[in-house]
Amino acid sequence: MRLPFEKLNNTRDLGGIRTSDGRRIRSGRLFRSGHLYAASAKDLAVLKEQVGSVVDFRSISERTEKPDPDFGQTDLHLPIFDVTAASVERDEASKEASFHTVARDPQGAAEYMMRTYRSFIRDGFARAQYARFLRFLMKPHEKAVLWHCTAGKDRAGFAAILVLELLGADRETIRADYLATDEYLADECRFLVSFLGEKFGGLTPEIEQALGLLFGAKDAFFDAVYDTIGSDYGDMDRFLSEGLGITPQERETLRTLYLESLQRGGI
């Protein structure tokens, strides 16, 4: 459910999403978002009232450029990409150059995004960070936990996939939550595509298509998650248990914390 913020268009509550056993996720407990830098005064008042903890998946440079505002929250910084490792393609030195290359090439843009999503699964550092995130959720929290990256699409989107899988949502429900980013950020994406197209010397069809892939939440990227997990682990359950080390007891802890109780009918 999209939350009524003035400036945080991709901030939403997973509450109300139905799971396969007929329960729903508790409202006001699990929020996914893009960065909070642009929050208005009214937005900050809502955040202060509802959010107790923020998990930030961005790099140090991203956090420095657009720091989260302080509204009394507990912060946990879990960068998904280890920028100290020379093997990581998304390190800060190469990121801008890579972007300017793929932003003119739709096929390159699609391949770049697919590599990004596969890295969430295959990079050991990324897996460890996501496991830390999930175990942070297993602690009792008085207010909502909000997690975010920059747009709230890729790093935060993969985190939402993991949370919804562990809580028992079906794949098409999870897909719908992932793709909703395109709706919530449609105006921002149109502006960015137009702005960057002009910076590149004119918005050609190729640049428009490439930028749409880089800034969008696409079925192909969502499917790449499950295809990669299927090829590497067999299925999602094995990835959660073997790739992230989540035990059945830990999964039950998450469900106890974040799912509404089953309603038992009378005689």
Side-chain angles (χ1 to χ4, degrees):
M1 177 183 67
R2 189 176 185 178
L3 293 165
F5 288 107
E6 293 182 333
K7 300 293 186 180
L8 307 178
N9 294 327
N10 197 28
T11 301
R12 42 200 156 118
D13 186 352
L14 298 188
I17 291 178
R18 188 178 293 276
T19 58
S20 299
D21 63 3
R23 288 187 281 180
R24 292 183 184 274
I25 298 176
R26 297 179 191 272
S27 296
R29 309 303 302 166
L30 298 169
F31 293 176
R32 56 171 294 180
S33 182
H35 68 75
L36 306 177
Y37 178 76
S40 68
K42 288 184 178 179
D43 292 341
L44 288 176
V46 174
L47 289 169
K48 183 175 182 178
E49 178 185 359
Q50 297 192 27
V51 176
S53 300
V54 171
V55 181
D56 189 345
F57 294 131
R58 298 177 300 165
S59 67
I60 292 174
S61 65
E62 288 173 298
R63 283 164 56 88
T64 300
E65 182 180 355
K66 292 186 176 179
D68 284 346
D70 181 3
F71 51 89
Q73 76 274 26
T74 297
D75 285 312
L76 177 63
H77 181 211
L78 292 177
I80 295 303
F81 299 108
D82 181 6
V83 297
T84 65
S87 62
V88 177
E89 288 185 271
R90 292 275 303 258
D91 74 311
E92 300 306 311
S94 66
K95 185 176 178 181
E96 184 173 356
S98 297
F99 177 82
H100 280 271
T101 299
V102 299
R104 293 173 169 84
D105 174 14
Q107 182 176 348
E111 291 172 353
Y112 177 82
M113 293 306 301
M114 300 284 266
R115 287 197 302 272
T116 297
Y117 279 80
R118 285 193 288 266
S119 73
F120 298 152
I121 297 152
R122 291 177 171 167
D123 182 77
F125 182 85
R127 289 199 309 274
Q129 296 294 71
Y130 280 118
R132 287 181 63 193
F133 161 67
L134 293 171
R135 291 196 168 90
F136 182 72
L137 292 184
M138 294 172 196
K139 301 176 181 179
H141 297 275
E142 291 185 7
K143 296 182 180 180
V145 177
L146 179 151
W147 64 89
H148 75 89
C149 50
T150 295
K153 176 176 73 76
D154 304 319
R155 289 164 288 185
F158 184 72
I161 290 172
L162 298 178
V163 171
L164 290 171
E165 281 282 353
L166 285 165
L167 293 179
D170 65 60
R171 188 176 301 186
E172 291 314 304
T173 297
I174 299 171
R175 182 192 298 271
D177 174 74
Y178 170 76
L179 294 176
T181 291
D182 264 5
E183 174 188 350
Y184 298 150
L185 295 183
D187 290 342
E188 293 177 40
C189 285
R190 280 192 289 269
F191 171 79
L192 283 171
V193 168
S194 176
F195 174 76
L196 289 172
E198 292 305 313
K199 284 193 68 174
F200 292 162
L203 186 60
T204 66
E206 290 77 15
I207 291 176
E208 184 173 12
Q209 184 181 355
L211 291 174
L213 289 166
L214 293 170
F215 295 146
K218 306 302 180 186
D219 278 301
F221 307 154
F222 181 87
D223 291 336
V225 168
Y226 286 88
D227 290 345
T228 303
I229 287 172
S231 66
D232 290 8
Y233 290 89
D235 57 33
M236 178 63 78
D237 282 341
R238 285 188 62 185
F239 173 68
L240 294 169
S241 62
E242 297 178 12
L244 301 182
I246 304 300
T247 67
Q249 293 78 14
E250 288 174 323
R251 181 183 293 217
E252 190 56 37
T253 295
L254 281 172
R255 293 184 173 187
T256 299
L257 287 170
Y258 298 110
L259 293 183
E260 295 176 351
S261 300
L262 283 168
Q263 298 297 317
R264 299 184 182 276
I267 296 175

